[in-house]
Amino acid sequence: MESDFSRFSELKDICDVEISQESSPTEKKKEYIRQIGSSTAHKVGDVEVECAYGSMNLEKILADIICG
């Protein structure tokens, strides 16, 4: 069975994300998702991961990813 990882090629490396520290936590989360291109798939250098959180609240998911 082949996996389709083509969606990762469109992701921006999280090391290249710039978010204003003056933004509210909610604005930071929205900006992170906008810049990355996904709320569940993330790319760090050559490492690409997809996180599955089940029924977890989006705020909790992003709190795990973004300190803020």
Side-chain angles (χ1 to χ4, degrees):
M1 178 183 351
E2 284 187 39
S3 296
D4 178 19
F5 291 102
S6 61
R7 67 184 163 275
F8 288 114
S9 64
E10 299 172 9
L11 293 175
K12 181 177 182 179
D13 190 317
I14 67 170
C15 295
D16 296 331
V17 172
E18 293 184 21
I19 298 175
S20 171
Q21 294 302 309
E22 297 174 8
S23 300
S24 71
T26 300
E27 290 170 331
K28 288 178 185 178
K29 293 169 190 169
K30 288 179 182 178
E31 182 61 16
Y32 175 83
I33 291 172
R34 187 192 69 75
Q35 288 188 40
I36 292 297
S38 174
S39 63
T40 60
H42 309 280
K43 180 178 181 178
V44 183
D46 292 334
V47 177
E48 300 162 337
V49 297
E50 186 160 16
C51 303
Y53 290 91
S55 62
M56 187 181 271
N57 179 298
L58 181 60
E59 296 287 320
K60 174 68 174 126
I61 295 169
L62 294 175
D64 288 348
I65 297 170
I66 304 172
C67 298

